[in-house]
Amino acid sequence: MAGELTLKAGVELGVVPTHIKFVGGLVPDDDGRLPRNPDGQLTVIAELAALKEESPAPVQSAQITVFPGVHEGDTDDLISGIRNLGMEVHIIMMVGGADPMNPADEDKVVEMLVSGLEVAKKYNIKQVASTSAEEWMQPGATPKTGEAFDAAVAQDVKAHVRAYNEAGVEGSCIESWDLEFLRGGEFQTFTSLAKIWEVVKTANAQIGKPFFKVMVDAAHCGDSELSIEENQALIWQIAKADEMGMFHCSAKTTRGCLTTDDGWIGSLLATAAKTGKLKNVFVEIFHHEDAALEGLRNLDPGHGLDTTDGRTYRQTVIDGMVEVTHRLNNLVTRGHLQGA
C-alpha cells in the first residue's frame, strides 16, 4: 500500500506520533528509558515503521518529543531508527517544572532548552520546536496583560536568546526554532498567533535575523480568541516577515480525527500555502485516553471524545495523511502552492 499516493507539493509532509500516547509511548521512565515493545524495539519507531508501511500517502518526516535526561543510548536508537526508515527528524523540546515567564526560573528553563538544542546539534537536526513560552496547565494562573504581558515577552526572549547563545546555535546545523502557543487553559497568556509572534519578532530583533519562527497549529488557532479571518491575516503578516514556521494539521478541541476541525485546517493551510513560505506540514492526532492528558479532558470534555469512528488510531492518522496529501496536491493544481 505504501507509496500509492504521490505528494505533488514542494513541501515536506510528516507526522507527530502523539497518537501512541505520551504515557507508554513517548515519555521516558524514571531512569530516562523510553518505552519499548515486547520485541525490544522503541514503541515510537515500531509505530512509524507501521505507518510508513501501511499509509498510501508518503510519511516523509517525524517530529518527536525530546525530554531532558533521556538515556543517551535510547536517544541514539530513536533518531537513528527514524532515519533508517528514510524519514527526516524534527524535535520538539519539552520544558516542564519551571515557568519561562518567571525570572526566578530562568536558569532552569535555559538548562532544559540548552539540553534539547545540544541533542539537535549532536544529531545534525536542522529544525527544532518548543512549547516554552509559559508553563503548561498551571491551576489558578491568570492571563498577563498590559505591562505584565510586556514583561513576560521580555523574560521569554531573554531565556530563549540566552539558550541560543549558550548552546552555540549560531553557525551550527540548526536553521530555525519554532515556538508554539497553546489554547486558553493550557496556557493563559500566550494563547494566539498574535501573542506568540511578539516573542518571536522580539527575539529575532535581538539576534538580528529571522531564526525564531511561529508554529501555526490549526487546533490552537481554532481554540484561540481569534477568528479564522484574523488568523489568516496574521499568517500573511508573519510569513511576510519570514517568521512563519511549520504547520500542524490538528483538529481544534478534540485533537482527534481531522474531520472534527470544522474547516480550520483547510482555511489556514490554504492561506499558509499562498504565502509561498510553507515548507513543513505535520499531521498530529492525540489519543483520547492518554493518561498524560487528563488535565485537558478536565478542561474541556471535548478532548476526551473518541473520534476514531471504529478505526484504530493508526488508521485515523493514515486517513489524516491521505486527506492532507490530497489537500496539498490540489493546492498545487489550483496554483496556490509550488509543485515538487
Side-chain angles (χ1 to χ4, degrees):
M1 182 180 292
E4 290 180 1
L5 179 59
T6 299
L7 178 65
K8 300 173 184 176
V11 300
E12 182 185 277
L13 177 60
V15 64
V16 186
T18 43
H19 64 285
I20 66 172
K21 300 183 184 179
F22 282 94
V23 175
L26 301 172
V27 177
D29 63 20
D30 292 341
D31 296 321
R33 306 310 298 251
L34 296 173
R36 294 179 181 266
N37 64 18
D39 295 329
Q41 186 179 29
L42 289 175
T43 305
V44 67
I45 297 300
E47 181 63 18
L48 289 173
L51 281 175
K52 182 145 189 172
E53 175 65 26
E54 297 175 25
S55 174
V59 186
Q60 299 173 328
S61 59
Q63 188 176 37
I64 52 169
T65 49
V66 170
F67 294 88
V70 171
H71 187 277
E72 188 173 345
D74 282 5
T75 300
D76 283 337
D77 287 352
L78 178 63
I79 293 174
S80 64
I82 295 171
R83 286 176 170 161
N84 288 340
L85 291 171
M87 298 182 190
E88 192 73 25
V89 180
H90 302 262
I91 66 171
I92 308 173
M93 302 181 294
M94 306 303 288
V95 174
D99 182 3
M101 300 185 295
N102 185 353
D105 286 350
E106 181 180 319
D107 288 346
K108 294 179 183 177
V109 171
V110 171
E111 182 181 2
M112 286 184 277
L113 291 173
V114 168
S115 173
L117 293 168
E118 292 292 354
V119 170
K121 286 173 59 182
K122 178 178 178 180
Y123 294 99
N124 197 34
I125 292 170
K126 297 178 181 179
Q127 293 174 300
V128 301
S130 63
T131 309
S132 52
E134 63 182 281
E135 194 169 3
W136 186 66
M137 297 285 290
Q138 289 305 294
T142 56
K144 297 182 185 298
T145 59
E147 291 183 359
F149 177 80
D150 294 340
V153 170
Q155 182 57 38
D156 272 347
V157 170
K158 183 181 178 185
H160 287 76
V161 171
R162 182 180 155 192
Y164 173 92
N165 290 326
E166 291 188 9
V169 171
E170 180 68 29
S172 74
C173 61
I174 306 173
E175 298 176 356
S176 63
W177 181 349
D178 282 40
L179 297 186
E180 181 179 14
F181 75 92
L182 300 182
R183 60 176 295 176
E186 292 188 77
F187 278 3
Q188 304 300 330
T189 297
F190 294 99
T191 55
S192 72
L193 278 181
K195 292 173 181 175
I196 197 66
W197 191 25
E198 291 299 319
V199 177
V200 166
K201 61 185 173 183
T202 305
N204 284 335
Q206 282 201 15
I207 65 174
K209 62 180 180 180
F211 172 79
F212 291 96
K213 308 287 184 181
V214 175
M215 181 192 295
V216 181
D217 184 305
H220 299 316
C221 290
D223 284 320
S224 77
E225 59 268 32
L226 303 179
S227 67
I228 284 180
E229 293 77 15
E230 288 169 323
N231 276 284
Q232 288 174 314
L234 278 164
I235 288 170
W236 276 107
Q237 295 172 46
I238 294 167
K240 186 176 180 180
D242 198 20
E243 292 175 331
M244 185 182 80
M246 59 190 63
F247 191 100
H248 274 191
C249 294
S250 195
K252 71 185 185 71
T253 309
T254 69
R255 308 307 303 277
C257 179
L258 301 193
T259 61
T260 67
D261 85 316
D262 300 331
W264 283 84
I265 292 171
S267 299
L268 300 190
L269 183 62
T271 300
K274 291 173 186 178
T275 68
K277 298 293 181 69
L278 182 65
K279 296 179 180 177
N280 303 92
V281 178
F282 292 91
V283 170
E284 182 182 41
I285 291 176
F286 289 80
H287 196 295
H288 71 287
E289 294 179 326
D290 190 340
L293 303 178
E294 182 179 358
L296 264 179
R297 294 192 289 275
N298 294 335
L299 175 69
D300 189 331
H303 189 81
L305 296 176
D306 181 355
T307 63
T308 61
D309 204 20
R311 296 164 293 176
T312 63
Y313 264 94
R314 180 183 301 160
Q315 187 59 52
T316 306
V317 170
I318 289 171
D319 290 348
M321 297 294 293
V322 169
E323 176 187 327
V324 172
T325 300
H326 285 305
R327 285 189 182 278
L328 293 169
N329 287 349
N330 284 320
L331 284 165
V332 173
T333 299
R334 291 185 287 154
H336 299 321
L337 185 61
Q338 186 174 351

